[in-house]
Structure formats: C-alpha cells, structure tokens
Amino acid sequence: MSHASTPRPLRSRAGSALTGRIRVPGDKSVSHRSLMFGALAVGRTTVTGLLEGEDVLNTAGAMRAAGARILKDENGTYHIDGVGLGSLLEPEDVIDFGNAGTGVRLTMGIFGTHPIAATFVGDASLSRRPMGRVLDPLRQMGTQVVARAGDRLPLSIRGADMPLPVTYRVPMPSAQVKSAVLLAGLNTPGETVVIEPIATRDHTEKMLAGFGADISVTIDEQGARIIRLKGRPELKAQAIDVPGDPSSAAFPIVAALITPGSDVTVENVLLNEHRTGLITTLIEMGGDITIENERMAGGERVGDIRVRASKLKGVTVPANRAPSMIDEYPVLAVAAAFAEGDTFMPGLEELRVKESDRLAAVARGLEVNGIPCKEGEAELTVTGGASGIGGGIVTTHLDHRIAMSFLVLGLASDKAVTVDDGAVIATSFPTFTSLFAGLGAEISELEDARA
C-alpha cells in the first residue's frame, strides 16, 4: 500500500460454513523472480498466473526503469523482453517499492553489480525495515551505499564497476539475503558462494537453473547448504506458469479449519518443501487436510489442498521449522486460539523485522480480542479455548498479513473483529474479500473502525 492511501477499515463476523473450490493469487516469491530474471534474460519471457498485487507490480516498475519491456496481453499473460545480463540502464527517477521488502532487497542485489546508480524509496512500513543485512555483503562486492542511519530507506546505491566475488555465510535464515547475494553474483566474474546453515525457500536457485545459470547446491558435513554460482552466464528467456501462493492459501485453509461445517479446496497451490511448514503444523494440530491432484509444474511440486473444519489441539512448533513458514505465524496464531491447550512457537526473531514488528502486532491483536497469549523476545505462546473472544479493533501497522489473519479470526469468533486498515491487503492478495465472500464469509467495509 502506498503511504498516501486512505485507510479502509474492515470487519468480519461469524456466519455460515465456508464451502467451495477457489484459487488464490500466484505465488509472490515466484512472481517477483519471474519479472527479475525475465528482465536479465535474452529474449522474451512469458508469465501466466503472475500475482498482480502492489508489491509485484512495484518490482515490474523497477525492471521497466532498468530498461526491460513488460507488457500484459488481453489474456492476462505478461511478456518480458529482457535487456540481458550486464546491460541494465540507469533509472531516470527514484524507484518506489511501496511495501515490497522482497522486491527492494533483491533489486539491490541485481543493481549492486551493474555500473549504474539508483535511489530506492518505500512506504512508511518499508522505510522502517533494516536493509543492512543485504547491503553488508553487497559492500564486500564493491557496491557503494548512501543511506539513512541504520541502513534504512530512502537510500542510494552505485553498482560496482568491477565487482568482486565473495564467499558469504548468511548469519541468520533469510531467503532474501541469500537471493540478493546470488543475484549480485550473476554479473560478477568468477564464483560467488553462499553458505546457508539453515535452509530457506529455494525459488532463486531453482529458477536461476531454469534460466540457464551455472549453479550448484551441495550439503556439507554440518548440514549447511553450499550454493555456488558462476558469474556472467547468458540467461535464456523462459515460459513460466506461476502456481498459487501457499502464504495466501494459508488464510482460507485456517478459516476452513476453525469455522464449523466448512469444506474448502484451494486449487493449484505451490508445495515447495521449504514452504509447507504451516500445513505440517496444522496437520499435527489435528487439522483435516489432504493433498489432491499432486503434480510437477515448472520444476515445482503443486497440488490442490482440501480442508475440513476440525477440532484442533495445541502443539509445540519446532524452531527449525520457522524458515519454511515465517509469513504464516500470524494466521497460525489465529488457529491456535481455537485449539485446545497451549501452542508454543519459538524461533521467531525474523518476525521482529517484517512489514511490522509482526510478533508484537500478533500479540496485541490477540489480546484486544480476549485471547490469552504470552510474547517473548523470539517466541509466542497462545492459549486456546477462551470464551467470548472477538470484539476488538486490531491495529495492522501497514501489515497485510496482520489484516488478513485477524479477519480470519472474526469468521469464527463470538463477536465481530475489526481491522483498522484493510487497504494494505492489496500488496499481496487483492482479491481477498471477494474470494472469501464467494465461500460464504461475512466481511464488510466500514466508514469508521469504531462504528
């Protein structure tokens, strides 16, 4: 959401069971990378199923600013005429990424080893998020940076004229940091190596290989992933069909589990092994979830996820599962509110630096709706089964996942739940309210959150 947008309060309340078959928007991670790799490739890349949320469209704008030609045809297919690796143009104006953390961090990696200058800005939420974790390895490769205190937006970079390959050990699990370094390595002579002690989503590695990059992944004796990329390949245009985003599918999945009598199937969802932590956890909690029509598409596993309302129980979520479901903890906390007993979620350091301090935002949202929880520095415990829950107004802090998670809460609560701003949902799931309405959910727009 642009920082100039008008807040749009939304309210959800319990109603009938949720039923039907739906498709959620295309995967955000794959959508971002499709645009970026298409811009760096030689020839025309076609993309069907692209997520048309604000975050991804801001990435498209950045690639256009660097010289790529990106057009959408009457069938909704995107056509990207790439400029070729090493041939990016210098943007004529600042690049506004809105709320797109993935977009801005990965673009910094791409631009950081091209001899061009660029200035990045974002909305109030993105401007609070730290960029140093990406900028530190880029500086080692020769990128010059002028930034605010704490390496926050707005900031300017000048890409290295003669970039240097690095061997970089990622200090904390982050697919964005890993990907930024690999993308910087594309236009760097020699071999760039990224060492990942804890595996994160691997879309960058898979898609780079698909575009023709010379990339390999091995596992060392400590279990760390060693990713080696040889610089300056010729990337070849591809045809990409973007599967449904599992992070978006999380909302109807949890809504169906906690709303009595529900039976919902979410079709064509990405089932990458580094993205299915929430499904694993919900099944451990007793969720009636089955995978149907499982198949391979574009090198990724996809399938239809059928969910029926279930009686859930509290669990302890292993900390090492966090990288595979980091965006899904807010809606998992909602599921935990309807589970018997305590659900303990450790290993959540990364939630402190998302679109909001997402850990604190979740805890405050639960509290204002009468749900017992305990927030630690990097963990959250939710006690389910409280009576009379709901009735609160949740502060979203410009965070789309907070907004959607608490609207899901309202669909099964004793009292309606209000979020102070639903406009932020457009960053990742622009069809959220209409899709839920089609399942039978009661979500309404308000003039005033306190009405």
Side-chain angles (χ1 to χ4, degrees):
M1 184 188 82
S2 166
H3 42 284
S5 297
T6 302
R8 179 176 159 233
L10 294 175
R11 178 170 294 161
S12 61
R13 65 180 69 250
S16 60
L18 306 180
T19 58
R21 300 180 69 88
I22 59 172
R23 287 199 177 205
V24 297
D27 184 72
K28 189 158 78 158
S29 296
V30 174
S31 294
H32 278 302
R33 289 161 176 81
S34 297
L35 292 165
M36 293 174 177
F37 300 165
L40 295 172
V42 174
R44 171 169 287 193
T45 291
T46 59
V47 185
T48 55
L50 186 86
L51 168 62
E52 294 185 301
E54 291 178 3
D55 283 9
V56 172
L57 297 179
N58 285 331
T59 290
M63 295 304 104
R64 287 190 182 103
R69 186 169 177 263
I70 302 175
L71 299 172
K72 178 185 175 183
D73 68 21
E74 65 277 7
N75 298 316
T77 298
Y78 279 78
H79 302 269
I80 307 159
D81 293 324
V83 293
L85 189 63
S87 300
L88 297 183
L89 302 181
E90 186 165 279
E92 295 184 0
D93 203 350
V94 299
I95 300 178
D96 189 347
F97 273 95
N99 194 245
T102 298
V104 71
R105 289 186 174 119
L106 270 58
T107 300
M108 287 177 185
I110 293 171
F111 285 15
T113 53
H114 283 76
I116 58 175
T119 297
F120 304 101
V121 300
D123 69 7
S125 171
L126 189 62
S127 298
R128 290 191 293 267
R129 297 173 67 182
M131 299 294 151
R133 58 176 64 182
V134 166
L135 295 174
D136 288 344
L138 295 182
R139 287 183 174 107
Q140 295 177 30
M141 300 175 84
T143 306
Q144 299 176 44
V145 181
V146 178
R148 295 168 58 216
D151 277 341
R152 300 176 194 273
L153 298 182
L155 61 81
S156 299
I157 67 171
R158 179 162 189 84
D161 292 315
M162 299 180 65
L164 302 171
V166 295
T167 294
Y168 188 72
R169 187 179 184 89
V170 181
M172 65 179 67
S174 173
Q176 292 181 2
V177 174
K178 169 183 68 176
S179 297
V181 177
L182 290 172
L183 296 183
L186 282 174
N187 200 43
T188 300
E191 185 176 74
T192 295
V193 181
V194 176
I195 303 170
E196 189 179 43
I198 298 176
T200 62
R201 56 184 66 178
D202 59 355
H203 306 302
T204 296
E205 298 95 302
K206 286 185 173 180
M207 292 182 69
L208 280 177
F211 274 83
D214 188 345
I215 186 169
S216 65
V217 181
T218 56
I219 309 297
D220 70 10
E221 57 273 13
Q222 282 81 42
R225 298 176 77 238
I226 312 298
I227 308 160
R228 300 180 183 276
L229 175 71
K230 292 184 179 175
R232 297 186 171 166
E234 181 176 296
L235 301 181
K236 298 176 177 62
Q238 299 294 307
I240 299 170
D241 183 13
V242 182
D245 193 325
S247 296
S248 295
F251 302 105
I253 287 170
V254 170
L257 283 175
I258 65 176
T259 305
S262 295
D263 187 346
V264 171
T265 299
V266 189
E267 299 177 339
N268 196 47
V269 180
L270 176 69
L271 297 175
N272 181 291
E273 63 178 350
H274 299 297
R275 300 288 300 280
T276 54
L278 177 69
I279 299 298
T280 300
T281 302
L282 292 174
I283 291 172
E284 289 173 355
M285 294 173 75
D288 184 351
I289 300 174
T290 55
I291 307 299
E292 302 174 347
N293 192 25
E294 189 173 331
R295 59 205 182 275
M296 296 298 293
E300 294 277 13
R301 191 166 65 100
V302 301
D304 304 336
I305 304 175
R306 185 176 183 184
V307 188
R308 298 176 182 90
S310 305
K311 182 175 176 59
L312 304 177
K313 64 180 186 295
V315 297
T316 293
V317 185
N320 63 5
R321 192 177 291 167
S324 71
M325 55 182 294
I326 196 64
D327 286 330
E328 286 79 72
Y329 279 100
V331 79
L332 174 61
V334 169
F338 295 89
E340 181 182 346
D342 289 345
T343 296
F344 177 52
M345 297 167 259
L348 306 186
E349 298 89 344
E350 185 72 9
L351 291 188
R352 295 288 186 191
V353 292
K354 285 294 195 178
E355 283 83 337
S356 62
D357 179 343
R358 200 170 268 171
L359 183 51
V362 170
R364 302 294 84 74
L366 293 171
E367 289 167 354
V368 299
N369 284 290
I371 298 162
C373 67
K374 182 178 179 182
E375 174 194 355
E377 184 57 38
E379 64 269 340
L380 179 69
T381 302
V382 180
T383 301
S387 60
I389 65 172
I393 300 173
V394 176
T395 303
T396 61
H397 301 283
L398 295 175
D399 191 324
H400 53 129
R401 300 199 193 280
I402 297 299
M404 290 185 281
S405 295
F406 284 96
L407 289 172
V408 168
L409 175 70
L411 298 178
S413 295
D414 301 299
K415 292 171 282 189
V417 173
T418 303
V419 300
D420 68 346
D421 187 9
V424 294
I425 292 171
T427 65
S428 68
F429 201 157
T431 58
F432 178 85
T433 53
S434 60
L435 184 149
F436 267 81
L439 293 174
E442 295 189 24
I443 300 176
S444 56
E445 190 166 348
L446 307 174
E447 290 291 332
D448 183 340
R450 300 187 181 276

